[in-house]
């Protein structure tokens, strides 16, 4: 079903967790403010976990349920590992060709081309067989408590198969959620999926340089009315520090905080890969033992756990008003700042009135090393018809008493993000200070 509230997803590579480590990890998820857990099983197509080390799925779903967490599983329809028994059972279903995932970290798990075998997805007989197979598999998973599925490489699967599979599964359990992993997909690849019926998609804001208009254009191209979930760092491929070639801890921390806060403010939900909270530089999909991963966590130089708690609270307290609201880029690239706006036609009380609608202003210092200083008017003159209500840069829910806009120079530290919650100016509002329509709410 579509998300009524913005999902907050902690993404786990199960290979990195020992059987005894699951209770503590799930408690950690709850403490950080997550309400969903995603097992990135697609990472392990060629790396099956040791059965003696892994926690049985029914025990994991029960442990999640006890903590109020919803378990999501990563599913892959278009390929299997080269040792999958399905290959011997249905040899006519398969063909050999290079894996696109080994060419682009944006599209999914970076498995090597010789570790997977692709299915002949254009063959109608194969589609019918997959439909029957996956209907059984998904029902069995729902029966043991799985809440939903993240669909890898959605454009590689015929839309008619997705539609049939989701319709059948929802008729069995109408609470199930289907999320499409869309980063790396082009507009022509996404167009056929518009009416497929996915509940959520993912945007690639983690790769945005806070300058190009590509990010906003991509959101316009994403699938229909599906919830758009952001992430500060991809689970597949290099960590944020690797993408930006950062080696010192202060720079990595600034970049991580900017990415985290931008994802929380701009998305309709958030996904965070395990290890991001400690600023790990080793990629999430690196082959490690649980002990090796634990050692990396113990040696971490950065701790973002408090900030992730704050971001998740922001999504619950403020982000919920903007669920489904698009992002508009207001300020021209190259100005030193990125100014974005999200607007909704619903006020805090739920009334649908132009004069009650809310706006969230997102101001980002594009420079990771230098401060930005300018006049307040340099920001708010770009915003038409809205007035400041509360500065939310400290990620609190807001203040009981609104206050006036800051006057004169405004300073943003390196990589800093400032947020303003605003409401529309009433058409009958008077003009203040010699014609200035900006006023405190």
């Amino acid at each position: 079903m579509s998300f009524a509230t913005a999902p907050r997803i902690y993404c786990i590579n199960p290979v990195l967790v020992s059987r005894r480590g699951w209770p503590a990890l799930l408690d950690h998820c709850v403490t950080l403010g997550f309400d969903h857990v995603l097992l990135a099983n697609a990472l392990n197509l060629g790396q099956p976990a040791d059965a003696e080390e892994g926690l049985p799925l029914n025990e994991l779903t029960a442990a999640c349920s006890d903590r109020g967490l919803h378990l999501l599983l990563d599913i892959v329809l278009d390929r299997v590992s080269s040792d999958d028994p399905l290959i011997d059972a249905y040899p006519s279903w398969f063909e050999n060709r290079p894996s696109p995932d080994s060419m682009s970290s944006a599209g999914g798990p970076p498995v090597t081309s010789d570790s997977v075998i692709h299915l002949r997805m254009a063959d109608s007989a194969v589609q019918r067989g997959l439909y029957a197979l996956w209907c059984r598999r998904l029902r069995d998973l729902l029966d043991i408590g799985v809440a939903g599925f993240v669909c890898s490489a959605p454009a590689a699967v015929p839309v008619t198969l997705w539609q049939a599979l989701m319709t059948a599964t929802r008729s069995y359990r109408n609470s199930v959620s289907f999320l499409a992993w869309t980063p790396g997909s082009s507009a022509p690849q996404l167009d056929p999926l518009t009416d497929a019926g996915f509940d959520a998609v993912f945007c690639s804001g983690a790769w945005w340089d806070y300058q190009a208009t590509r990010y906003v254009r991509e959101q316009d191209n994403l699938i229909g009315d599906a919830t758009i979930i952001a992430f500060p760092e991809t689970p597949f491929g290099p960590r944020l520090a690797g993408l930006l070639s950062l080696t010192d801890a202060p720079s990595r921390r600034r970049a991580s905080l900017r990415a985290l806060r931008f994802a929380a403010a701009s998305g309709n939900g958030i996904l965070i890969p395990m290890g991001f909270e400690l600023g790990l530089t080793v990629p999430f999909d690196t082959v490690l033992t649980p002990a090796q991963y634990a050692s990396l966590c113990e040696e971490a130089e950065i701790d973002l756990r408090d900030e992730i708690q704050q971001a998740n609270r922001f999504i619950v307290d403020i982000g919920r008003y903007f669920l489904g609201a698009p992002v508009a880029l207001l300020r021209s690239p190259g100005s030193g700042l990125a100014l974005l706006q999200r607007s909704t036609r619903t006020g805090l009380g739920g009334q649908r009135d132009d004069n009650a609608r809310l706006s969230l202003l997102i101001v980002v210092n594009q420079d990771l090393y230098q401060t930005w200083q300018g006049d307040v008017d340099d920001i708010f003159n770009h915003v038409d018809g809205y007035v400041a209500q509360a500065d939310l840069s400290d990620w609190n829910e807001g203040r009981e008493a609104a206050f006036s806009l800051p006057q004169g120079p405004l300073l943003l530290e390196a990589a800093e993000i400032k947020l303003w919650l605003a409401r529309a100016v009433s058409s009958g509002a008077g003009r203040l200070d010699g014609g200035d329509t900006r006023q405190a709410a």
Side-chain angles (χ1 to χ4, degrees), residues 215-216 219-220 262 265-267 325-329 340-343 362:
Y215 173 73
V216 175
Q219 290 221 355
D220 292 338
F262 181 73
S266 64
V327 177
L329 181 62
L340 303 98
Q341 182 178 30
R342 303 182 68 191
S343 300
I362 308 168

Side-chain angles (χ1 to χ4, degrees), residues 171-241:
S171 68
Y172 184 75
R173 186 74 48 80
N174 62 11
S175 62
V176 65
S177 298
F178 285 91
L179 303 82
W181 183 259
T182 45
S185 300
S186 64
Q189 290 175 316
L190 292 174
D191 284 344
L193 297 172
T194 299
D195 299 320
F198 288 105
D199 298 297
V201 295
F202 295 85
C203 64
S204 60
W207 296 288
W208 190 39
D209 62 1
Y210 304 97
Q211 297 184 46
T213 59
R214 171 185 59 83
Y215 173 73
V216 175
R217 290 200 309 270
E218 181 198 26
Q219 290 221 355
D220 292 338
N221 291 331
L222 287 173
I223 299 171
D225 295 326
T227 297
I228 300 176
I229 299 172
F231 50 92
E233 181 176 79
T234 176
F236 309 119
R239 295 274 192 179
L240 185 64

Side-chain angles (χ1 to χ4, degrees), residues 109-436:
V111 291
T112 58
S113 60
D114 60 353
S115 67
V116 299
I117 304 294
H118 284 260
L119 285 96
R120 299 169 55 233
M121 298 303 304
D123 189 315
S124 59
V126 173
Q127 293 178 35
R128 289 192 297 271
L130 280 177
Y131 169 78
L133 173 71
W134 278 100
C135 276
R136 292 193 301 271
R137 285 182 174 179
L138 297 184
R139 289 179 181 183
D140 289 344
L141 291 169
L142 292 173
D143 285 343
I144 61 173
V146 173
F149 306 96
V150 174
C151 306
S152 178
V157 177
V159 65
T160 53
L161 178 53
W162 283 127
Q163 289 171 324
L165 188 59
M166 287 189 283
T167 297
T169 307
R170 286 176 177 136
S171 68
Y172 184 75
R173 186 74 48 80
N174 62 11
S175 62
V176 65
S177 298
F178 285 91
L179 303 82
W181 183 259
T182 45
S185 300
S186 64
Q189 290 175 316
L190 292 174
D191 284 344
L193 297 172
T194 299
D195 299 320
F198 288 105
D199 298 297
V201 295
F202 295 85
C203 64
S204 60
W207 296 288
W208 190 39
D209 62 1
Y210 304 97
Q211 297 184 46
T213 59
R214 171 185 59 83
Y215 173 73
V216 175
R217 290 200 309 270
E218 181 198 26
Q219 290 221 355
D220 292 338
N221 291 331
L222 287 173
I223 299 171
D225 295 326
T227 297
I228 300 176
I229 299 172
F231 50 92
E233 181 176 79
T234 176
F236 309 119
R239 295 274 192 179
L240 185 64
L243 286 174
L244 299 179
S245 301
L246 304 176
T247 56
D248 63 291
S251 297
R252 286 163 38 214
R253 179 179 175 81
R254 287 196 301 273
S256 296
L257 280 177
R258 180 175 64 180
L260 170 66
R261 290 172 172 170
F262 181 73
S266 64
N268 295 313
I270 196 167
L271 177 145
I272 294 180
M274 63 187 296
F276 176 84
E277 67 269 34
L278 297 175
L280 298 189
T281 57
V282 174
F284 171 84
D285 48 18
T286 301
V287 181
L288 297 171
T289 65
Q292 290 171 326
Y293 177 76
S295 179
L296 289 176
C297 292
E298 291 172 0
E299 298 168 359
E301 300 177 290
I302 296 173
D303 187 346
L304 302 176
R305 287 174 289 189
D306 287 346
E307 288 78 6
I308 290 174
Q309 285 180 325
Q310 293 166 9
N312 279 329
R313 282 199 300 269
F314 174 86
I315 292 171
V316 172
D317 294 338
I318 299 298
R320 61 192 173 99
Y321 297 118
F322 299 93
L323 191 64
V327 177
L329 181 62
L330 302 182
R331 193 177 179 99
S332 301
S335 62
L337 290 182
L339 173 61
L340 303 98
Q341 182 178 30
R342 303 182 68 191
S343 300
T344 176
R345 298 184 67 84
T346 303
L348 289 173
Q351 65 270 35
R352 292 194 173 274
D353 182 334
D354 282 350
N355 293 331
R357 69 184 187 267
L358 297 176
S359 180
L360 181 65
L361 308 180
I362 308 168
V363 184
V364 188
N365 184 352
Q366 298 166 350
D367 199 303
L368 191 57
Y369 301 98
Q370 301 295 324
T371 59
W372 181 94
Q373 185 170 355
D375 194 90
V376 170
D377 286 337
D378 290 341
I379 295 176
F380 287 98
N381 281 347
H382 290 267
V383 183
D384 184 28
Y386 288 84
V387 296
Q389 177 167 317
D391 182 346
L392 301 171
S393 299
D394 57 4
W395 300 89
N396 290 330
E397 184 173 356
R399 299 171 178 81
E400 293 183 2
F403 53 88
S404 300
L405 284 169
Q407 301 295 319
L410 181 68
L411 180 70
L412 273 78
E413 299 294 342
E416 185 179 4
I417 287 185
K418 285 186 177 293
L419 305 176
W420 277 272
L421 181 65
R423 62 170 172 79
V425 175
S426 169
S427 57
R431 298 176 70 83
L432 304 175
D433 300 328
D436 189 352

